[in-house]
Amino acid sequence: AEIANALDQAAMQLDTYSESGDGEQLKTFLEEVQQVRGTFKMLDFRAGERLCEELAETGRAHKGRMLSEQTLSVFTQAVIFLKRYIDFVISGKAVAPSLLLPTINEVRSQRGEKPLPEAYFFLVNLRPQLQMPAAEAGARNFSVRRARQLYQLGLIGLIRNDGRRGPLQVMLRAVRRFEKASRGQASWPFWYASTAALEALSEDAFEMTGARLRLMGLLDRQVRRIQDTEGQAFNEKMPDWLLKELLYIVSLAEGGEPVVDAVQKTFRIGGGVKEKRLAESRSGLHGPDQSA
């Protein structure tokens, strides 16, 4: 109730500022935001704390200049979504911190900052005990260039919105070859997780968001590394931050596919909020709140 009241006060100050342009009103709004941030910090609610930090930083960045209509709109939406998120928590709905990431990134964009990745709030041990399969004779006897073309063909299909499952299955065929060729090498955990992530994204509940399209593009860069080094990159450890992004996708999957189940079990990431519930919560952010 204290948080909701503070957010209501913040919304009123922002509304008054939008009409008057009085810098004192904006200052009061930012003070309310900082008060809420302190409460979130005490509760260890990292997503709410980060959103408040971004609002405060963006407000201060204007240095006395009037906020634009777009920035005011983004600020108002951020306060509304934050209140809605609190409603979800109070009502006992299972929600993930990543639900607020699009809003956080909207606020960051007003300062020209890069968006935070989808797995920003995701916690996972990237070095579990793995039973790495032994290298297979002849596993690298395929054209890496053609495999990359296959991956890009599927990626183009996703970008053009030519369905989702079909293009993902094409990409999966290519990545399976890399997973098989990397067995016994330092990069195998990465390609193992990549295979599971593509299987997960093929589930009916998943939405192909802009962030996930970018992730598929970043995966293509690693495919290109394999091509440019003529397979030598199989012996190199892949980027941890990208592995984390792929594992977050796998954590959202309902499972059922052997590789998805195996990766969830190995990295202990199967017990969190699933994509279906996350999609419902995304929709709920735009709907009426509890008071309505």
Side-chain angles (χ1 to χ4, degrees):
E2 190 175 315
I3 292 170
N5 183 56
L7 289 172
D8 283 338
Q9 291 298 319
M12 286 173 58
Q13 296 296 340
L14 191 63
D15 186 48
T16 305
Y17 167 74
S18 70
E19 294 177 355
S20 68
D22 185 353
E24 284 300 312
Q25 300 293 340
L26 179 61
K27 183 180 177 182
T28 306
F29 164 75
L30 295 175
E31 287 172 353
E32 291 284 357
V33 166
Q34 288 288 29
Q35 179 184 332
V36 175
R37 175 185 172 273
T39 307
F40 286 149
K41 186 176 181 66
M42 183 178 65
L43 296 172
D44 196 28
F45 174 33
R46 294 189 302 145
E49 182 186 354
R50 186 58 189 258
L51 179 51
C52 289
E53 285 175 3
E54 297 293 349
L55 286 168
E57 186 65 30
T58 304
R60 286 193 296 265
H62 280 73
K63 298 177 180 177
R65 291 178 286 111
M66 181 69 184
L67 298 182
S68 68
E69 279 295 322
Q70 183 181 13
T71 302
L72 281 169
S73 176
V74 168
F75 274 29
T76 302
Q77 186 182 67
V79 173
I80 291 170
F81 281 4
L82 197 47
K83 277 199 68 178
R84 199 66 47 79
Y85 192 102
I86 299 302
D87 277 346
F88 291 165
V89 174
I90 291 171
S91 64
K93 290 183 180 178
V95 286
S98 63
L99 192 62
L100 286 177
L101 266 173
T103 309
I104 290 170
N105 286 333
E106 279 284 341
V107 178
R108 287 174 62 83
S109 72
Q110 300 306 303
R111 306 196 311 274
E113 296 286 342
K114 291 181 180 179
L116 299 178
E118 190 175 3
Y120 182 78
F121 297 111
F122 181 54
L123 300 176
V124 60
N125 174 17
L126 298 176
R127 301 285 183 274
Q129 282 192 324
L130 285 170
Q131 291 186 333
M132 187 181 298
E136 292 186 21
R140 293 196 189 181
N141 293 338
F142 67 95
S143 169
V144 174
R145 185 177 65 85
R146 282 202 295 271
R148 186 183 179 213
Q149 287 175 337
L150 191 64
Y151 182 91
Q152 289 180 317
L153 183 66
L155 182 56
I156 290 170
L158 286 180
I159 293 170
R160 290 177 176 171
N161 203 23
D162 296 339
R164 179 172 54 87
R165 186 171 176 80
L168 283 169
Q169 290 302 307
V170 171
M171 295 159 73
L172 189 57
R173 283 178 58 194
V175 170
R176 280 181 179 142
R177 294 178 185 176
F178 293 120
E179 184 275 322
K180 192 173 182 180
S182 68
R183 291 176 185 179
Q185 307 296 324
S187 66
W188 176 76
F190 176 85
W191 294 109
Y192 182 48
S194 299
T195 305
L198 288 169
E199 287 279 17
L201 285 168
S202 299
E203 289 186 2
D204 292 340
F206 274 81
E207 298 177 11
M208 188 51 64
T209 62
R212 289 168 185 175
L213 272 177
R214 286 192 293 274
L215 178 61
M216 295 299 99
L218 291 169
L219 183 54
D220 179 54
R221 292 187 188 178
Q222 304 309 315
V223 172
R224 181 181 175 181
R225 275 186 67 199
I226 300 295
Q227 180 181 341
D228 290 347
T229 62
E230 297 181 344
Q232 293 304 307
F234 280 129
N235 301 317
E236 302 171 8
K237 189 172 75 68
M238 299 305 222
D240 281 346
W241 64 268
L242 189 51
L243 174 60
K244 182 184 174 185
E245 290 294 312
L246 295 166
L247 289 173
Y248 179 63
I249 296 294
V250 180
S251 76
L252 296 173
E254 294 290 347
E257 286 290 335
V259 68
V260 173
D261 292 345
V263 170
Q264 285 185 347
K265 183 178 179 181
T266 299
F267 287 88
R268 298 182 180 180
I269 54 174
V273 177
K274 301 303 180 184
E275 174 70 8
K276 183 178 180 181
R277 181 63 59 85
L278 201 55
E280 290 171 357
S281 298
R282 285 193 208 105
S283 177
L285 280 180
H286 298 270
D289 62 14
Q290 278 193 324
S291 61

